[in-house]
Amino acid sequence: MKQKSFVMLKPDAVLRRLAGRIINKFEERGLKIIAAKMLIIQRDLAEQHYGEHSEKPFFKDLVDYITSGPVLALVIEGEECVSLIRKMVGSTNPKESEPGTIRGDYAIDTGRNVIHASDSLKSAKREISLFFSDPEICSYILPDEELIYEEP
Ligand code: IDP
Ligand code: MG
């Protein structure tokens, strides 16, 4: 089933000039970028986005981190892409991420783990609507979809 996921390159990824390399991994996999936006997240949006963690001891540090510089927010589309992208991203703690995953290649500390990706279809819908309006999401067909999918 075709799904949309919310992906965000965190400030460390942008400041370390890793955005191109990370986006490249999604494109090479065959996934489709259907929205993109660079922004400096305001505190209230960060607190909403990470609302499920509001009682955790790391919450303030997490909000400080995510608001510390520009992020690149993306909506990515593809078959079963929510779980597929989570696998590409790797474990929350990059020390446990496999090499070849994004965190396994580019990160060491949990508090500087370079990327966010939705953990379920429900989270994806909520997160996409926090960051993007409907007209900002582009619906289009890639010319080579039959080379990626048996039944595009
Ligand atoms: P996820 O990003 O892999 O979905 P979550 O558990 O949803 O991981 O946590 C959200 C973010 O909060 C993580 O990506 C990481 O930046 C930060 N975080 C999670 N656990 C810790 C921690 O124990 N210490 C510091 N930061 C943490
Ligand atoms: Mg999460």
Side-chain angles (χ1 to χ4, degrees), residues 7-10 12-14 16-29 31 33 72 74 76 85 88-89 101-103 105-107 113-116:
V7 172
M8 184 165 69
L9 310 192
K10 296 179 177 180
D12 47 340
V14 174
R16 291 171 59 199
R17 306 178 186 88
L18 294 172
R21 262 171 280 186
I22 295 171
I23 288 171
N24 201 35
K25 284 184 186 259
F26 295 121
E27 290 193 317
E28 286 180 335
R29 187 75 192 262
L31 294 167
I33 294 161
L72 188 62
L74 305 168
I76 299 182
I85 290 171
M88 292 176 73
V89 163
T101 64
I102 294 162
R103 287 170 176 164
D105 284 350
Y106 298 129
N113 62 3
V114 302
I115 187 166
H116 166 84

PDB file of all heavy atoms in Angstrom, residues 7-10 12-14 16-29 31 33 72 74 76 85 88-89 101-103 105-107 113-116:
ATOM      1  N   VAL A   7       9.409  13.103   7.286  1.00  0.00           N
ATOM      2  CA  VAL A   7      10.841  12.956   7.579  1.00  0.00           C
ATOM      3  C   VAL A   7      11.398  14.347   7.830  1.00  0.00           C
ATOM      4  O   VAL A   7      11.018  15.304   7.151  1.00  0.00           O
ATOM      5  CB  VAL A   7      11.567  12.281   6.388  1.00  0.00           C
ATOM      6  CG1 VAL A   7      13.080  12.303   6.579  1.00  0.00           C
ATOM      7  CG2 VAL A   7      11.074  10.848   6.216  1.00  0.00           C
ATOM      8  N   MET A   8      12.277  14.457   8.794  1.00  0.00           N
ATOM      9  CA  MET A   8      12.873  15.765   9.063  1.00  0.00           C
ATOM     10  C   MET A   8      14.373  15.608   9.286  1.00  0.00           C
ATOM     11  O   MET A   8      14.798  14.831  10.147  1.00  0.00           O
ATOM     12  CB  MET A   8      12.208  16.361  10.307  1.00  0.00           C
ATOM     13  CG  MET A   8      12.678  17.745  10.638  1.00  0.00           C
ATOM     14  SD  MET A   8      11.557  18.505  11.818  1.00  0.00           S
ATOM     15  CE  MET A   8      11.901  17.539  13.264  1.00  0.00           C
ATOM     16  N   LEU A   9      15.154  16.333   8.483  1.00  0.00           N
ATOM     17  CA  LEU A   9      16.591  16.375   8.713  1.00  0.00           C
ATOM     18  C   LEU A   9      16.808  17.424   9.796  1.00  0.00           C
ATOM     19  O   LEU A   9      16.449  18.587   9.635  1.00  0.00           O
ATOM     20  CB  LEU A   9      17.343  16.724   7.430  1.00  0.00           C
ATOM     21  CG  LEU A   9      16.973  15.894   6.184  1.00  0.00           C
ATOM     22  CD1 LEU A   9      17.979  16.138   5.074  1.00  0.00           C
ATOM     23  CD2 LEU A   9      16.863  14.419   6.501  1.00  0.00           C
ATOM     24  N   LYS A  10      17.333  16.990  10.921  1.00  0.00           N
ATOM     25  CA  LYS A  10      17.454  17.831  12.104  1.00  0.00           C
ATOM     26  C   LYS A  10      18.589  18.861  11.913  1.00  0.00           C
ATOM     27  O   LYS A  10      19.391  18.735  10.972  1.00  0.00           O
ATOM     28  CB  LYS A  10      17.686  16.934  13.326  1.00  0.00           C
ATOM     29  CG  LYS A  10      16.487  16.015  13.621  1.00  0.00           C
ATOM     30  CD  LYS A  10      16.748  15.107  14.816  1.00  0.00           C
ATOM     31  CE  LYS A  10      15.538  14.242  15.145  1.00  0.00           C
ATOM     32  NZ  LYS A  10      15.785  13.362  16.312  1.00  0.00           N
ATOM     33  N   ASP A  12      21.469  19.380  13.125  1.00  0.00           N
ATOM     34  CA  ASP A  12      22.844  18.869  12.974  1.00  0.00           C
ATOM     35  C   ASP A  12      23.087  18.370  11.552  1.00  0.00           C
ATOM     36  O   ASP A  12      24.158  18.590  10.978  1.00  0.00           O
ATOM     37  CB  ASP A  12      23.178  17.796  14.024  1.00  0.00           C
ATOM     38  CG  ASP A  12      22.109  16.737  14.182  1.00  0.00           C
ATOM     39  OD1 ASP A  12      20.949  16.985  13.783  1.00  0.00           O
ATOM     40  OD2 ASP A  12      22.407  15.656  14.714  1.00  0.00           O
ATOM     41  N   ALA A  13      22.085  17.739  10.947  1.00  0.00           N
ATOM     42  CA  ALA A  13      22.227  17.249   9.572  1.00  0.00           C
ATOM     43  C   ALA A  13      22.399  18.416   8.607  1.00  0.00           C
ATOM     44  O   ALA A  13      23.269  18.388   7.717  1.00  0.00           O
ATOM     45  CB  ALA A  13      21.013  16.410   9.175  1.00  0.00           C
ATOM     46  N   VAL A  14      21.580  19.465   8.785  1.00  0.00           N
ATOM     47  CA  VAL A  14      21.673  20.625   7.884  1.00  0.00           C
ATOM     48  C   VAL A  14      23.021  21.320   8.068  1.00  0.00           C
ATOM     49  O   VAL A  14      23.726  21.616   7.095  1.00  0.00           O
ATOM     50  CB  VAL A  14      20.500  21.598   8.143  1.00  0.00           C
ATOM     51  CG1 VAL A  14      20.668  22.875   7.327  1.00  0.00           C
ATOM     52  CG2 VAL A  14      19.159  20.919   7.815  1.00  0.00           C
ATOM     53  N   ARG A  16      25.786  20.177   9.217  1.00  0.00           N
ATOM     54  CA  ARG A  16      26.919  19.348   8.789  1.00  0.00           C
ATOM     55  C   ARG A  16      26.912  19.092   7.278  1.00  0.00           C
ATOM     56  O   ARG A  16      27.712  18.318   6.771  1.00  0.00           O
ATOM     57  CB  ARG A  16      26.903  18.007   9.556  1.00  0.00           C
ATOM     58  CG  ARG A  16      27.236  18.178  11.048  1.00  0.00           C
ATOM     59  CD  ARG A  16      27.005  16.882  11.814  1.00  0.00           C
ATOM     60  NE  ARG A  16      27.808  15.802  11.286  1.00  0.00           N
ATOM     61  CZ  ARG A  16      27.567  14.495  11.503  1.00  0.00           C
ATOM     62  NH1 ARG A  16      26.527  14.127  12.242  1.00  0.00           N
ATOM     63  NH2 ARG A  16      28.356  13.589  10.992  1.00  0.00           N
ATOM     64  N   ARG A  17      25.985  19.778   6.572  1.00  0.00           N
ATOM     65  CA  ARG A  17      25.868  19.679   5.107  1.00  0.00           C
ATOM     66  C   ARG A  17      25.629  18.236   4.651  1.00  0.00           C
ATOM     67  O   ARG A  17      26.169  17.794   3.632  1.00  0.00           O
ATOM     68  CB  ARG A  17      27.123  20.227   4.409  1.00  0.00           C
ATOM     69  CG  ARG A  17      27.509  21.647   4.799  1.00  0.00           C
ATOM     70  CD  ARG A  17      28.796  22.010   4.071  1.00  0.00           C
ATOM     71  NE  ARG A  17      29.329  23.295   4.473  1.00  0.00           N
ATOM     72  CZ  ARG A  17      30.163  23.471   5.490  1.00  0.00           C
ATOM     73  NH1 ARG A  17      30.518  22.446   6.258  1.00  0.00           N
ATOM     74  NH2 ARG A  17      30.616  24.679   5.755  1.00  0.00           N
ATOM     75  N   LEU A  18      24.825  17.505   5.450  1.00  0.00           N
ATOM     76  CA  LEU A  18      24.525  16.107   5.098  1.00  0.00           C
ATOM     77  C   LEU A  18      23.206  15.973   4.343  1.00  0.00           C
ATOM     78  O   LEU A  18      22.834  14.860   3.942  1.00  0.00           O
ATOM     79  CB  LEU A  18      24.455  15.250   6.374  1.00  0.00           C
ATOM     80  CG  LEU A  18      25.769  15.085   7.138  1.00  0.00           C
ATOM     81  CD1 LEU A  18      25.522  14.381   8.476  1.00  0.00           C
ATOM     82  CD2 LEU A  18      26.781  14.301   6.306  1.00  0.00           C
ATOM     83  N   ALA A  19      22.493  17.092   4.151  1.00  0.00           N
ATOM     84  CA  ALA A  19      21.133  17.003   3.586  1.00  0.00           C
ATOM     85  C   ALA A  19      21.134  16.288   2.232  1.00  0.00           C
ATOM     86  O   ALA A  19      20.311  15.401   1.998  1.00  0.00           O
ATOM     87  CB  ALA A  19      20.512  18.391   3.477  1.00  0.00           C
ATOM     88  N   GLY A  20      22.033  16.686   1.362  1.00  0.00           N
ATOM     89  CA  GLY A  20      22.066  16.099   0.027  1.00  0.00           C
ATOM     90  C   GLY A  20      22.299  14.594   0.064  1.00  0.00           C
ATOM     91  O   GLY A  20      21.604  13.828  -0.610  1.00  0.00           O
ATOM     92  N   ARG A  21      23.249  14.179   0.897  1.00  0.00           N
ATOM     93  CA  ARG A  21      23.567  12.746   0.964  1.00  0.00           C
ATOM     94  C   ARG A  21      22.401  11.932   1.520  1.00  0.00           C
ATOM     95  O   ARG A  21      22.144  10.810   1.091  1.00  0.00           O
ATOM     96  CB  ARG A  21      24.816  12.511   1.818  1.00  0.00           C
ATOM     97  CG  ARG A  21      26.053  12.347   0.947  1.00  0.00           C
ATOM     98  CD  ARG A  21      27.301  12.323   1.775  1.00  0.00           C
ATOM     99  NE  ARG A  21      27.657  13.694   2.109  1.00  0.00           N
ATOM    100  CZ  ARG A  21      28.769  14.044   2.727  1.00  0.00           C
ATOM    101  NH1 ARG A  21      29.639  13.125   3.093  1.00  0.00           N
ATOM    102  NH2 ARG A  21      29.020  15.307   2.968  1.00  0.00           N
ATOM    103  N   ILE A  22      21.706  12.519   2.505  1.00  0.00           N
ATOM    104  CA  ILE A  22      20.580  11.790   3.107  1.00  0.00           C
ATOM    105  C   ILE A  22      19.417  11.707   2.124  1.00  0.00           C
ATOM    106  O   ILE A  22      18.827  10.640   1.922  1.00  0.00           O
ATOM    107  CB  ILE A  22      20.179  12.444   4.447  1.00  0.00           C
ATOM    108  CG1 ILE A  22      21.330  12.300   5.458  1.00  0.00           C
ATOM    109  CG2 ILE A  22      18.894  11.824   4.981  1.00  0.00           C
ATOM    110  CD1 ILE A  22      21.152  13.094   6.754  1.00  0.00           C
ATOM    111  N   ILE A  23      19.109  12.828   1.469  1.00  0.00           N
ATOM    112  CA  ILE A  23      18.027  12.818   0.477  1.00  0.00           C
ATOM    113  C   ILE A  23      18.357  11.828  -0.646  1.00  0.00           C
ATOM    114  O   ILE A  23      17.497  11.108  -1.148  1.00  0.00           O
ATOM    115  CB  ILE A  23      17.792  14.242  -0.083  1.00  0.00           C
ATOM    116  CG1 ILE A  23      17.134  15.102   1.001  1.00  0.00           C
ATOM    117  CG2 ILE A  23      16.924  14.219  -1.343  1.00  0.00           C
ATOM    118  CD1 ILE A  23      17.050  16.571   0.658  1.00  0.00           C
ATOM    119  N   ASN A  24      19.623  11.796  -1.022  1.00  0.00           N
ATOM    120  CA  ASN A  24      20.066  10.871  -2.066  1.00  0.00           C
ATOM    121  C   ASN A  24      19.717   9.412  -1.744  1.00  0.00           C
ATOM    122  O   ASN A  24      19.302   8.652  -2.614  1.00  0.00           O
ATOM    123  CB  ASN A  24      21.584  11.030  -2.218  1.00  0.00           C
ATOM    124  CG  ASN A  24      22.073  10.545  -3.562  1.00  0.00           C
ATOM    125  OD1 ASN A  24      21.390  10.688  -4.554  1.00  0.00           O
ATOM    126  ND2 ASN A  24      23.258   9.961  -3.579  1.00  0.00           N
ATOM    127  N   LYS A  25      19.862   9.034  -0.465  1.00  0.00           N
ATOM    128  CA  LYS A  25      19.541   7.652  -0.075  1.00  0.00           C
ATOM    129  C   LYS A  25      18.068   7.347  -0.340  1.00  0.00           C
ATOM    130  O   LYS A  25      17.728   6.254  -0.795  1.00  0.00           O
ATOM    131  CB  LYS A  25      19.842   7.430   1.412  1.00  0.00           C
ATOM    132  CG  LYS A  25      21.324   7.289   1.736  1.00  0.00           C
ATOM    133  CD  LYS A  25      21.497   6.973   3.216  1.00  0.00           C
ATOM    134  CE  LYS A  25      22.945   6.954   3.640  1.00  0.00           C
ATOM    135  NZ  LYS A  25      23.481   5.584   3.760  1.00  0.00           N
ATOM    136  N   PHE A  26      17.192   8.297  -0.027  1.00  0.00           N
ATOM    137  CA  PHE A  26      15.758   8.068  -0.261  1.00  0.00           C
ATOM    138  C   PHE A  26      15.464   8.001  -1.764  1.00  0.00           C
ATOM    139  O   PHE A  26      14.697   7.148  -2.216  1.00  0.00           O
ATOM    140  CB  PHE A  26      14.920   9.165   0.403  1.00  0.00           C
ATOM    141  CG  PHE A  26      15.010   9.164   1.909  1.00  0.00           C
ATOM    142  CD1 PHE A  26      15.458  10.275   2.607  1.00  0.00           C
ATOM    143  CD2 PHE A  26      14.655   8.025   2.636  1.00  0.00           C
ATOM    144  CE1 PHE A  26      15.545  10.267   4.000  1.00  0.00           C
ATOM    145  CE2 PHE A  26      14.743   8.006   4.027  1.00  0.00           C
ATOM    146  CZ  PHE A  26      15.188   9.127   4.706  1.00  0.00           C
ATOM    147  N   GLU A  27      16.079   8.898  -2.529  1.00  0.00           N
ATOM    148  CA  GLU A  27      15.847   8.888  -3.980  1.00  0.00           C
ATOM    149  C   GLU A  27      16.372   7.594  -4.604  1.00  0.00           C
ATOM    150  O   GLU A  27      15.699   6.978  -5.435  1.00  0.00           O
ATOM    151  CB  GLU A  27      16.521  10.101  -4.631  1.00  0.00           C
ATOM    152  CG  GLU A  27      15.828  11.402  -4.266  1.00  0.00           C
ATOM    153  CD  GLU A  27      16.269  12.563  -5.140  1.00  0.00           C
ATOM    154  OE1 GLU A  27      17.478  12.694  -5.408  1.00  0.00           O
ATOM    155  OE2 GLU A  27      15.404  13.346  -5.540  1.00  0.00           O
ATOM    156  N   GLU A  28      17.569   7.191  -4.194  1.00  0.00           N
ATOM    157  CA  GLU A  28      18.144   5.970  -4.773  1.00  0.00           C
ATOM    158  C   GLU A  28      17.326   4.734  -4.437  1.00  0.00           C
ATOM    159  O   GLU A  28      17.282   3.776  -5.196  1.00  0.00           O
ATOM    160  CB  GLU A  28      19.589   5.787  -4.286  1.00  0.00           C
ATOM    161  CG  GLU A  28      20.545   6.753  -4.958  1.00  0.00           C
ATOM    162  CD  GLU A  28      21.985   6.592  -4.496  1.00  0.00           C
ATOM    163  OE1 GLU A  28      22.211   6.113  -3.372  1.00  0.00           O
ATOM    164  OE2 GLU A  28      22.876   6.961  -5.263  1.00  0.00           O
ATOM    165  N   ARG A  29      16.664   4.755  -3.282  1.00  0.00           N
ATOM    166  CA  ARG A  29      15.839   3.608  -2.900  1.00  0.00           C
ATOM    167  C   ARG A  29      14.616   3.478  -3.805  1.00  0.00           C
ATOM    168  O   ARG A  29      14.026   2.403  -3.913  1.00  0.00           O
ATOM    169  CB  ARG A  29      15.394   3.766  -1.438  1.00  0.00           C
ATOM    170  CG  ARG A  29      14.660   2.565  -0.862  1.00  0.00           C
ATOM    171  CD  ARG A  29      15.636   1.452  -0.560  1.00  0.00           C
ATOM    172  NE  ARG A  29      14.962   0.203  -0.272  1.00  0.00           N
ATOM    173  CZ  ARG A  29      14.701  -0.279   0.941  1.00  0.00           C
ATOM    174  NH1 ARG A  29      15.071   0.401   2.012  1.00  0.00           N
ATOM    175  NH2 ARG A  29      14.101  -1.436   1.102  1.00  0.00           N
ATOM    176  N   LEU A  31      12.113   5.960  -3.559  1.00  0.00           N
ATOM    177  CA  LEU A  31      11.045   6.722  -2.908  1.00  0.00           C
ATOM    178  C   LEU A  31      10.873   8.080  -3.592  1.00  0.00           C
ATOM    179  O   LEU A  31      11.777   8.563  -4.275  1.00  0.00           O
ATOM    180  CB  LEU A  31      11.370   6.892  -1.419  1.00  0.00           C
ATOM    181  CG  LEU A  31      11.366   5.581  -0.634  1.00  0.00           C
ATOM    182  CD1 LEU A  31      11.993   5.760   0.737  1.00  0.00           C
ATOM    183  CD2 LEU A  31       9.954   5.018  -0.521  1.00  0.00           C
ATOM    184  N   ILE A  33       9.939  12.137  -3.213  1.00  0.00           N
ATOM    185  CA  ILE A  33       9.803  13.307  -2.332  1.00  0.00           C
ATOM    186  C   ILE A  33       8.652  14.139  -2.872  1.00  0.00           C
ATOM    187  O   ILE A  33       8.696  14.590  -4.024  1.00  0.00           O
ATOM    188  CB  ILE A  33      11.116  14.106  -2.298  1.00  0.00           C
ATOM    189  CG1 ILE A  33      12.190  13.250  -1.635  1.00  0.00           C
ATOM    190  CG2 ILE A  33      10.932  15.427  -1.527  1.00  0.00           C
ATOM    191  CD1 ILE A  33      13.590  13.680  -1.911  1.00  0.00           C
ATOM    192  N   LEU A  72      15.186  20.515   7.647  1.00  0.00           N
ATOM    193  CA  LEU A  72      14.589  20.307   6.334  1.00  0.00           C
ATOM    194  C   LEU A  72      13.474  19.280   6.505  1.00  0.00           C
ATOM    195  O   LEU A  72      13.741  18.113   6.806  1.00  0.00           O
ATOM    196  CB  LEU A  72      15.648  19.833   5.333  1.00  0.00           C
ATOM    197  CG  LEU A  72      15.184  19.775   3.888  1.00  0.00           C
ATOM    198  CD1 LEU A  72      14.767  21.153   3.361  1.00  0.00           C
ATOM    199  CD2 LEU A  72      16.294  19.228   3.003  1.00  0.00           C
ATOM    200  N   LEU A  74      10.369  17.054   5.171  1.00  0.00           N
ATOM    201  CA  LEU A  74      10.046  16.372   3.915  1.00  0.00           C
ATOM    202  C   LEU A  74       8.808  15.513   4.079  1.00  0.00           C
ATOM    203  O   LEU A  74       8.562  14.967   5.160  1.00  0.00           O
ATOM    204  CB  LEU A  74      11.187  15.429   3.498  1.00  0.00           C
ATOM    205  CG  LEU A  74      12.597  15.982   3.368  1.00  0.00           C
ATOM    206  CD1 LEU A  74      13.597  14.835   3.252  1.00  0.00           C
ATOM    207  CD2 LEU A  74      12.696  16.891   2.145  1.00  0.00           C
ATOM    208  N   ILE A  76       7.595  12.095   2.189  1.00  0.00           N
ATOM    209  CA  ILE A  76       8.105  11.086   1.260  1.00  0.00           C
ATOM    210  C   ILE A  76       7.024  10.035   1.047  1.00  0.00           C
ATOM    211  O   ILE A  76       6.350   9.620   2.000  1.00  0.00           O
ATOM    212  CB  ILE A  76       9.408  10.451   1.800  1.00  0.00           C
ATOM    213  CG1 ILE A  76      10.478  11.539   1.954  1.00  0.00           C
ATOM    214  CG2 ILE A  76       9.898   9.330   0.886  1.00  0.00           C
ATOM    215  CD1 ILE A  76      11.829  11.052   2.436  1.00  0.00           C
ATOM    216  N   ILE A  85      11.186   3.470   5.758  1.00  0.00           N
ATOM    217  CA  ILE A  85      12.046   4.619   6.096  1.00  0.00           C
ATOM    218  C   ILE A  85      12.605   4.467   7.511  1.00  0.00           C
ATOM    219  O   ILE A  85      13.774   4.777   7.758  1.00  0.00           O
ATOM    220  CB  ILE A  85      11.280   5.950   5.904  1.00  0.00           C
ATOM    221  CG1 ILE A  85      11.043   6.198   4.412  1.00  0.00           C
ATOM    222  CG2 ILE A  85      12.036   7.125   6.533  1.00  0.00           C
ATOM    223  CD1 ILE A  85      10.106   7.362   4.099  1.00  0.00           C
ATOM    224  N   MET A  88      15.540   2.396   7.215  1.00  0.00           N
ATOM    225  CA  MET A  88      16.662   3.135   6.618  1.00  0.00           C
ATOM    226  C   MET A  88      17.290   4.091   7.631  1.00  0.00           C
ATOM    227  O   MET A  88      18.492   4.351   7.573  1.00  0.00           O
ATOM    228  CB  MET A  88      16.184   3.942   5.401  1.00  0.00           C
ATOM    229  CG  MET A  88      15.772   3.085   4.222  1.00  0.00           C
ATOM    230  SD  MET A  88      15.127   4.085   2.868  1.00  0.00           S
ATOM    231  CE  MET A  88      16.631   4.843   2.244  1.00  0.00           C
ATOM    232  N   VAL A  89      16.476   4.630   8.545  1.00  0.00           N
ATOM    233  CA  VAL A  89      16.959   5.601   9.540  1.00  0.00           C
ATOM    234  C   VAL A  89      17.809   4.915  10.610  1.00  0.00           C
ATOM    235  O   VAL A  89      18.829   5.453  11.034  1.00  0.00           O
ATOM    236  CB  VAL A  89      15.749   6.349  10.166  1.00  0.00           C
ATOM    237  CG1 VAL A  89      16.117   7.039  11.466  1.00  0.00           C
ATOM    238  CG2 VAL A  89      15.194   7.368   9.160  1.00  0.00           C
ATOM    239  N   THR A 101      22.654   2.290   7.692  1.00  0.00           N
ATOM    240  CA  THR A 101      21.487   3.111   8.009  1.00  0.00           C
ATOM    241  C   THR A 101      21.961   4.567   8.128  1.00  0.00           C
ATOM    242  O   THR A 101      23.161   4.827   8.264  1.00  0.00           O
ATOM    243  CB  THR A 101      20.816   2.677   9.325  1.00  0.00           C
ATOM    244  OG1 THR A 101      21.731   2.880  10.415  1.00  0.00           O
ATOM    245  CG2 THR A 101      20.399   1.208   9.283  1.00  0.00           C
ATOM    246  N   ILE A 102      21.006   5.488   8.088  1.00  0.00           N
ATOM    247  CA  ILE A 102      21.391   6.910   8.121  1.00  0.00           C
ATOM    248  C   ILE A 102      22.057   7.250   9.449  1.00  0.00           C
ATOM    249  O   ILE A 102      23.148   7.830   9.482  1.00  0.00           O
ATOM    250  CB  ILE A 102      20.160   7.791   7.814  1.00  0.00           C
ATOM    251  CG1 ILE A 102      19.727   7.549   6.365  1.00  0.00           C
ATOM    252  CG2 ILE A 102      20.459   9.275   8.058  1.00  0.00           C
ATOM    253  CD1 ILE A 102      18.326   7.996   6.037  1.00  0.00           C
ATOM    254  N   ARG A 103      21.409   6.862  10.552  1.00  0.00           N
ATOM    255  CA  ARG A 103      22.049   7.140  11.854  1.00  0.00           C
ATOM    256  C   ARG A 103      23.323   6.315  12.025  1.00  0.00           C
ATOM    257  O   ARG A 103      24.306   6.792  12.618  1.00  0.00           O
ATOM    258  CB  ARG A 103      21.057   6.866  12.981  1.00  0.00           C
ATOM    259  CG  ARG A 103      19.958   7.936  13.074  1.00  0.00           C
ATOM    260  CD  ARG A 103      18.849   7.530  14.021  1.00  0.00           C
ATOM    261  NE  ARG A 103      17.843   8.565  14.203  1.00  0.00           N
ATOM    262  CZ  ARG A 103      16.639   8.346  14.722  1.00  0.00           C
ATOM    263  NH1 ARG A 103      16.291   7.122  15.093  1.00  0.00           N
ATOM    264  NH2 ARG A 103      15.769   9.334  14.865  1.00  0.00           N
ATOM    265  N   ASP A 105      25.417   5.576   9.800  1.00  0.00           N
ATOM    266  CA  ASP A 105      26.496   6.158   8.991  1.00  0.00           C
ATOM    267  C   ASP A 105      26.906   7.549   9.465  1.00  0.00           C
ATOM    268  O   ASP A 105      28.066   7.939   9.291  1.00  0.00           O
ATOM    269  CB  ASP A 105      26.063   6.271   7.519  1.00  0.00           C
ATOM    270  CG  ASP A 105      26.095   4.937   6.793  1.00  0.00           C
ATOM    271  OD1 ASP A 105      26.627   3.957   7.351  1.00  0.00           O
ATOM    272  OD2 ASP A 105      25.579   4.877   5.661  1.00  0.00           O
ATOM    273  N   TYR A 106      25.955   8.306  10.023  1.00  0.00           N
ATOM    274  CA  TYR A 106      26.223   9.735  10.238  1.00  0.00           C
ATOM    275  C   TYR A 106      26.100  10.210  11.679  1.00  0.00           C
ATOM    276  O   TYR A 106      26.259  11.417  11.911  1.00  0.00           O
ATOM    277  CB  TYR A 106      25.279  10.575   9.370  1.00  0.00           C
ATOM    278  CG  TYR A 106      25.446  10.350   7.885  1.00  0.00           C
ATOM    279  CD1 TYR A 106      24.357  10.068   7.072  1.00  0.00           C
ATOM    280  CD2 TYR A 106      26.705  10.430   7.293  1.00  0.00           C
ATOM    281  CE1 TYR A 106      24.498   9.863   5.708  1.00  0.00           C
ATOM    282  CE2 TYR A 106      26.868  10.217   5.928  1.00  0.00           C
ATOM    283  CZ  TYR A 106      25.760   9.936   5.142  1.00  0.00           C
ATOM    284  OH  TYR A 106      25.918   9.725   3.798  1.00  0.00           O
ATOM    285  N   ALA A 107      25.781   9.355  12.635  1.00  0.00           N
ATOM    286  CA  ALA A 107      25.535   9.852  13.994  1.00  0.00           C
ATOM    287  C   ALA A 107      26.156   8.936  15.040  1.00  0.00           C
ATOM    288  O   ALA A 107      26.446   7.765  14.771  1.00  0.00           O
ATOM    289  CB  ALA A 107      24.035   9.979  14.228  1.00  0.00           C
ATOM    290  N   ASN A 113      20.973  12.772  16.637  1.00  0.00           N
ATOM    291  CA  ASN A 113      20.812  11.619  15.740  1.00  0.00           C
ATOM    292  C   ASN A 113      20.315  11.963  14.335  1.00  0.00           C
ATOM    293  O   ASN A 113      19.768  11.116  13.630  1.00  0.00           O
ATOM    294  CB  ASN A 113      19.989  10.517  16.411  1.00  0.00           C
ATOM    295  CG  ASN A 113      18.585  10.949  16.752  1.00  0.00           C
ATOM    296  OD1 ASN A 113      18.185  12.075  16.436  1.00  0.00           O
ATOM    297  ND2 ASN A 113      17.824  10.074  17.387  1.00  0.00           N
ATOM    298  N   VAL A 114      20.524  13.193  13.938  1.00  0.00           N
ATOM    299  CA  VAL A 114      20.421  13.741  12.560  1.00  0.00           C
ATOM    300  C   VAL A 114      19.076  13.679  11.817  1.00  0.00           C
ATOM    301  O   VAL A 114      18.880  14.442  10.872  1.00  0.00           O
ATOM    302  CB  VAL A 114      21.528  13.216  11.577  1.00  0.00           C
ATOM    303  CG1 VAL A 114      22.916  13.524  12.075  1.00  0.00           C
ATOM    304  CG2 VAL A 114      21.393  11.758  11.231  1.00  0.00           C
ATOM    305  N   ILE A 115      18.185  12.799  12.212  1.00  0.00           N
ATOM    306  CA  ILE A 115      16.967  12.647  11.394  1.00  0.00           C
ATOM    307  C   ILE A 115      15.790  12.177  12.233  1.00  0.00           C
ATOM    308  O   ILE A 115      15.961  11.429  13.205  1.00  0.00           O
ATOM    309  CB  ILE A 115      17.247  11.684  10.204  1.00  0.00           C
ATOM    310  CG1 ILE A 115      16.060  11.639   9.231  1.00  0.00           C
ATOM    311  CG2 ILE A 115      17.624  10.283  10.689  1.00  0.00           C
ATOM    312  CD1 ILE A 115      16.398  10.986   7.880  1.00  0.00           C
ATOM    313  N   HIS A 116      14.615  12.644  11.837  1.00  0.00           N
ATOM    314  CA  HIS A 116      13.354  12.153  12.396  1.00  0.00           C
ATOM    315  C   HIS A 116      12.583  11.457  11.285  1.00  0.00           C
ATOM    316  O   HIS A 116      12.600  11.915  10.139  1.00  0.00           O
ATOM    317  CB  HIS A 116      12.498  13.318  12.918  1.00  0.00           C
ATOM    318  CG  HIS A 116      11.081  12.918  13.177  1.00  0.00           C
ATOM    319  ND1 HIS A 116      10.687  12.319  14.351  1.00  0.00           N
ATOM    320  CD2 HIS A 116       9.969  12.967  12.389  1.00  0.00           C
ATOM    321  CE1 HIS A 116       9.393  12.033  14.270  1.00  0.00           C
ATOM    322  NE2 HIS A 116       8.937  12.417  13.094  1.00  0.00           N
TER     323      HIS A 116
END
